[in-house]
Amino acid sequence: MERLETGIHSGRLSTAEYEANFSDLHPRLDKHEALVAADRCYFCYDAPCMTACPTSIDIPLFIRQIATGNPIGSAKTIFDQNILGGMCARVCPTEELCEQACVRNTAEEKPVEIGRLQRYATDTAIQAGRQFYERAASTGKKIAVVGAGPAGLAAAHRLAVKGHDVAIYDSKSKSGGLNEYGIATYKAVDDFAQKEVDYVLSIGGIEVRHGQQLGRDFSLADLQSKYDAVFLGIGLAGVNALRVDGENLPGVDDAVDFIAGLRQAANKADVAIGRRVVVLGGGMTAIDAAVQAKLLGAEEVTICYRRGKEHMNASEFEQDLATSKGVIIRHWLAPKSILSQDGKVAAIEVEYTKLANGRLVTTGETGVIAADQIFKAIGQTFETSGLGSLRMESGRIAIDGEGRTSLDGVWAGGDCVFGGDDLTVSAVAQGRDAAESINRTLAAGAQPAVAVA
Ligand SMILES: Cc1cc2nc3c(=O)[nH]c(=O)nc-3n(C[C@H](O)[C@H](O)[C@H](O)COP(=O)(O)OP(=O)(O)OC[C@H]3O[C@@H](n4cnc5c(N)ncnc54)[C@H](O)[C@@H]3O)c2cc1C
Ligand code: SF4
């Protein structure tokens, strides 16, 4: 039987199995379900859920609007704060943000389903093609945004609303950033990322130039000379190296590339996967790669993480999702070398780890896990080419509280800046807030003084 075949193969499952495996993780609530879910909200006056939302959406208000049969008004409440509220409703770790803070989240009760209600409202408005914003009169100002991910799109939309003309430069052939190339397939079905991009761009005044890479096709200095302001939302384009023997063997792949390939595949049956897969890492990328490897028909998928369960960046919900799909998560294991047979990956040698005086050390005890494919999900890195003398902090762009960088007229936000939490919703909040800062600065008719020392 083909699914037991060793090595890396495509077409391990039937068409029906692929369809079932990659269907919507949390299908949209219907009208009755939404009314029942909305009815559970206490509409708290101090709404801790709202404080926990990085974009500060007025959650009790949008839930009340759903409860009174006004999902379109509810969508406007959401989009006023977060124009990518549709994707955030699908990908936000609500169990760690708004729903964790919900007063109904107790031992006896579950929280109000804020994320699913947000999706109900935003999907209703997007499907109806309902636009809420008109552009202000033209300011005559031109702004360059580098990166068409959540940070760049949120910044561009807010700037366009204010009457500025925006040019977005992105190295890829499609807009959306990791919404298009990174988010797990089952969280963004039916090409939602592109539908949302179209919705955001329909405000007008935003031109997107694909295939344009900062550092290769233009420099930051070029943009500074041509535009009134620049926003950088370039995410994290690089990946950390494993630095163990065998890293370059065929079958050792980067998890983000694997996920991007899967997201772009017209047919899931074309995506090859190993029979025994090992994923190295402990974040959302590791979980997404492992779950999707399993859903593609891998027989055995093991996540190896070098620290304990409590140290994993992936949320409890994500970890439970992985184990519910049959993924094995093993802790306190570091990769030592990758073993091969006939020039291909055959196994990974791992070494046990522990904390000694707060530092992670290996114990000397080793083990071997059979594998024909290994995914590296050990973190992304920021690529600095084309940025000139921009001040960095811990390898990312340093910004002040308004998103201003150390260079006059240059703002930044999202994963590429220091101090963020690498979530879609936080990138949206930073893009939006930087746009407000740019608008204030241009309206005042002056560029800011160097804000970041
Ligand atoms: C596999 C994976 C799964 C994730 N899952 C979730 C999740 O479920 N929930 C969640 O909240 N977060 C998730 N995240 C994190 C989330 O995707 C990011 O925090 C978010 O996309 C950051 O947005 P951004 O706009 O800063 O960067 P990105 O989304 O990375 O967008 C950056 C854009 O800049 C472009 N670009 C990069 N370099 C250049 C250059 N030199 N020149 C021109 N253009 C350039 C890129 O092509 C891209 O379009 C996940 C991340 C990964 C890797
Ligand atoms: S905390 Fe919970 S119950 Fe209170 S307003 Fe927010 S969603 Fe409603």
Side-chain angles (χ1 to χ4, degrees), residues 90-93 146-153 169-172 174-179 181-184 187 212-216 218 233-237 255-256 259 284-286 288-289 318 380 383 385 413-416 421-428 430:
R90 290 161 165 78
V91 307
C92 260
V146 191
L153 288 171
Y169 294 79
D170 197 291
S171 51
K172 293 236 161 62
K174 286 185 184 175
S175 301
L178 289 170
N179 283 357
Y181 292 97
I183 294 294
K187 290 185 188 170
Q212 291 294 309
Q213 187 171 322
L214 175 67
R216 183 191 67 194
F218 59 92
I234 49 181
L236 301 171
V256 178
I259 293 168
M284 206 127 53
T285 306
D288 285 355
E318 301 278 346
Q380 295 171 271
E383 287 193 352
S385 58
D415 285 1
C416 65
D421 50 14
D422 295 353
L423 291 176
T424 309
V425 66
S426 305
V428 172
Q430 289 181 331

Side-chain angles (χ1 to χ4, degrees), residues 14 47 55 123 128 144 217 257 265 403 426 435 437 439 444:
S14 68
T55 52
D123 277 13
D217 303 309
D257 289 347
S426 305
S437 175
N439 183 58

